[in-house]
Amino acid sequence: QVQLVESGGGLVQAGGSLRLSCAASGRTLNMYAMGWFRQAPGKEREFVTAIRWNVDSTYYGDSVKGRFTISRDKSKNTVYLQMNSLKPEDTAVYYCASRKYSGRYDRSREYDYWGQGTQVTVSS
């Protein structure tokens, strides 16, 4: 069992930056990867980024590549999402997720645990 808690969401102007955090607790020792998804009103949940827990490998969705950066602090069981050059279309609820096994990193159904989400609103 893994518990995930996101924080850091808020309101930001277009072009600005925001950093989200996701703190994991519980049985985190064997996490394979952690990732971020987002869901805007009326849209399907979208893969944002993911990072392998024990290997320095990252993956990004096309819409955020070059603007967002995922990182982790294993000592704190925390993953971060640094969001730069934010656009209004980045507005969504951002969810942190973790998974136990390899597979398709961009498939939300393959993740095992989810946080409650944090709202990010980018104004134009």
Side-chain angles (χ1 to χ4, degrees):
Q1 309 92 329
V2 175
Q3 295 79 46
L4 304 172
V5 180
E6 304 98 331
S7 62
L11 175 65
V12 65
Q13 297 289 321
S17 298
L18 207 61
R19 188 169 92 149
L20 307 183
S21 298
C22 175
S25 61
R27 297 179 62 87
T28 62
L29 184 62
N30 293 319
M31 286 193 301
Y32 178 81
M34 296 182 68
W36 291 92
F37 290 77
R38 66 186 184 185
Q39 189 163 24
K43 295 185 178 181
E44 296 181 348
R45 187 163 295 188
E46 177 188 19
F47 170 75
V48 177
T49 181
I51 186 169
R52 293 270 299 276
W53 199 243
N54 293 312
V55 178
D56 191 16
S57 298
T58 57
Y59 311 88
Y60 294 93
D62 291 341
S63 63
V64 306
K65 192 172 184 178
R67 300 188 298 121
F68 291 10
T69 303
I70 189 171
S71 62
R72 53 157 163 73
D73 185 336
K74 294 179 67 177
S75 68
K76 297 180 179 180
N77 283 328
T78 299
V79 65
Y80 305 95
L81 179 61
Q82 179 66 46
M83 304 184 292
N84 298 326
S85 302
L86 283 162
K87 305 174 181 179
E89 50 262 48
D90 295 318
T91 296
V93 177
Y94 283 70
Y95 297 93
C96 176
S98 68
R99 62 189 297 155
K100 302 176 183 178
Y101 308 106
S102 63
R104 287 285 300 272
Y105 59 87
D106 58 345
R107 294 186 64 178
S108 62
R109 290 187 176 184
E110 294 190 9
Y111 287 75
D112 302 293
Y113 303 101
W114 293 83
Q116 82 287 352
T118 185
Q119 177 71 47
V120 172
T121 302
V122 184
S123 64
S124 59

